Amino acid sequence: MSYFVDENGYYGEFGGAYIPEMLYPNVEELRQKYVTIMQEASFQKEFKSLLKEYVGRPTPLYFAKRLSEKYNTKIYLKREDLCHTGAHKVNNTIGQILMAKRLGKTRIIAETGAGQHGVATATVCALMGLECIVYMGEIDIARQAPNVARMKMLGAKVVPALSGSRTLKDATNEAIRDWINNPVDTHYIIGSVVGPHPYPDMVARFQSVISEEIKTQLLEKENTENPDYVIACVGGGSNAAGAFYHYLDEESVQLIAVEAAGLGVDSGESAATSVLGKEGIIHGSRTLLMQTKDGQITEPYSISAGLDYPGVGPLHAHLCKSKRAEFISITDDEAMQAGLELCKLEGIIPAIESSHALAVFNMKKFKEDDVVVLNLSGRGDKDLDTYIKYFRL
Ligand SMILES: *Cc1c(COP(=O)(O)O)cnc(C)c1O
């Protein structure tokens, strides 16, 4: 069994490109060209150079000594929190802006929920001098003011989505509408391993630099490329896809995907798609998603804005169904405590998304000589308000 995408854009039974006919030319152009463009030497050279000089890669693979002592196992943190803009998302937006340029596009659109992907997109548009329009739900604009300000400072136009629940899925609908109306000059930068084929595969390839680096770094530190476990949190699934990518076919490496249980899997306020999700179609791909009996998408909940998504990408749906990865759900409370613990033990303030992954050490016992790599997807600066309110700091 392969865990990589097949030529039709499927991971097992998940994936594909379920799109309106009007969108077909755009998606088809990308599908035909993305692999060829990515493999060009000049593309690789520019991509690698920007990752090094602008993003600050390779990010360290840091042996967390005190955390390891506490849980009596060997824990390495892959420090995506040290990327420019504070998280892994920029790996993908750098890749996609270079793709857009090769395709001759001059106008960039994106959707954003909490604003992190909007900021990462606005950043690379400024870097390349391209026009940037970010669609964002009206409710999200109100509750994510600092990220809205960041996008504006970076020169992006933030357009409110006024329909439906006025959150991420409505912003996505607006972005799709825009793309249909502007098929020639516009590229749509999707922020995770979601959407119609080829997006999940393209984004996973851009993020795969994470596991590529882990292999080299672990060889230096542990004399083997392969850890016993790789742990990552999953919203749409891009940081996990990047951390898992070069280990997908290495069955000795156990993969752990961590979802947000919110107030609890059975509370009605959750984002644990692997438990609560059923097969269905969202944003152009067949995957697992949270829905009502008649197929309406359920509003997800998590304290962490980045994990507050009603589906997972098709790769993760396949990893879940095939049991290649173990899925673990972590509540708000468990994540917040684990985040605070990392601050006290290692002097690192993690993003609340990453705190969900850290909480696995309280759920699962590892052996003393296990090598565990945890992808620390982002830094906690953006979450300070939430930490302040939660801990009454
Ligand atoms: C957006 C985000 C996530 C979730 O997105 P994925 O596509 O699942 O990686 C996780 N961590 C951080 C820090 C984020 O900003």
Side-chain angles (χ1 to χ4, degrees), residues 86-89 116 191-193 233-240 306-307 351 353-354 377-379 382:
H88 67 289
K89 285 196 174 72
Q116 292 303 111
S192 190
V193 285
C233 64
V234 172
S238 69
N239 86 87
L307 302 184
E353 291 86 355
S354 319
S377 56
R379 69 177 86 120
K382 69 180 177 64

Side-chain angles (χ1 to χ4, degrees), residues 116-238:
Q116 292 303 111
H117 173 57
V119 170
T121 302
T123 298
V124 298
C125 287
L127 179 68
M128 295 294 167
L130 295 186
E131 184 185 357
C132 181
I133 295 108
V134 180
Y135 290 95
M136 189 169 185
E138 193 180 32
I139 300 274
D140 290 333
I141 289 180
R143 57 185 179 190
Q144 309 288 345
N147 275 341
V148 175
R150 284 186 183 102
M151 287 184 267
K152 287 182 176 166
M153 288 184 75
L154 293 161
K157 187 174 162 202
V158 181
V159 180
L162 305 171
S163 64
S165 55
R166 291 172 290 156
T167 57
L168 177 61
K169 71 175 165 53
D170 313 289
T172 305
N173 291 339
E174 292 299 328
I176 290 171
R177 206 163 293 152
D178 179 312
W179 208 21
I180 289 173
N181 291 328
N182 300 282
V184 179
D185 64 344
T186 299
H187 176 69
Y188 178 14
I189 298 190
I190 293 183
S192 190
V193 285
V194 300
H197 178 66
Y199 278 99
D201 184 51
M202 179 172 67
V203 176
R205 286 173 190 243
F206 288 139
Q207 292 291 358
S208 73
V209 64
I210 298 173
S211 47
E212 192 184 318
E213 287 174 8
I214 294 173
K215 283 198 156 190
T216 317
Q217 292 168 321
L218 209 57
L219 187 61
E220 217 167 83
K221 291 170 199 287
E222 290 286 338
N223 216 9
T224 166
E225 290 186 336
N226 294 359
D228 295 289
Y229 293 89
V230 181
I231 306 176
C233 64
V234 172
S238 69

Side-chain angles (χ1 to χ4, degrees), residues 324-345:
R324 172 68 184 94
E326 178 182 0
F327 279 68
I328 295 180
S329 317
I330 295 295
T331 63
D332 287 0
D333 291 334
E334 290 160 348
M336 295 304 272
Q337 294 302 336
L340 187 62
E341 182 178 78
L342 189 74
C343 301
K344 308 272 191 217
L345 286 180

Side-chain angles (χ1 to χ4, degrees), residues 288-310:
L288 291 173
L289 68 125
M290 291 164 46
Q291 52 189 309
T292 60
K293 275 201 189 73
D294 47 359
Q296 292 300 307
I297 292 165
T298 315
E299 205 55 47
Y301 164 79
S302 164
I303 194 168
S304 147
L307 302 184
D308 194 352
Y309 183 72

Side-chain angles (χ1 to χ4, degrees), residues 73-84:
T73 190
K74 281 171 140 174
I75 303 172
Y76 286 89
L77 303 176
K78 182 59 174 161
R79 298 289 309 275
E80 294 302 296
D81 60 313
L82 296 177
C83 290
H84 176 46

Side-chain angles (χ1 to χ4, degrees), residues 230-250:
V230 181
I231 306 176
C233 64
V234 172
S238 69
N239 86 87
F244 295 170
Y245 195 86
H246 291 285
Y247 295 118
L248 286 171
D249 282 344
E250 308 257 11

Side-chain angles (χ1 to χ4, degrees), residues 29-87:
E29 179 188 24
L30 195 60
R31 189 190 68 77
Q32 284 182 11
K33 295 184 179 163
Y34 81 109
V35 174
T36 316
I37 291 177
M38 280 176 82
Q39 287 173 348
E40 281 168 7
S42 68
F43 183 95
Q44 280 300 320
K45 191 167 165 228
E46 197 175 356
F47 183 50
K48 290 278 154 68
S49 159
L50 283 171
L51 288 183
K52 178 163 181 259
E53 307 292 338
Y54 188 73
V55 175
R57 304 203 72 90
T59 58
L61 183 69
Y62 165 70
F63 177 66
K65 184 161 174 286
R66 297 189 67 214
L67 192 67
S68 297
E69 276 164 9
K70 162 117 200 229
Y71 292 102
N72 200 28
T73 190
K74 281 171 140 174
I75 303 172
Y76 286 89
L77 303 176
K78 182 59 174 161
R79 298 289 309 275
E80 294 302 296
D81 60 313
L82 296 177
C83 290
H84 176 46
T85 70

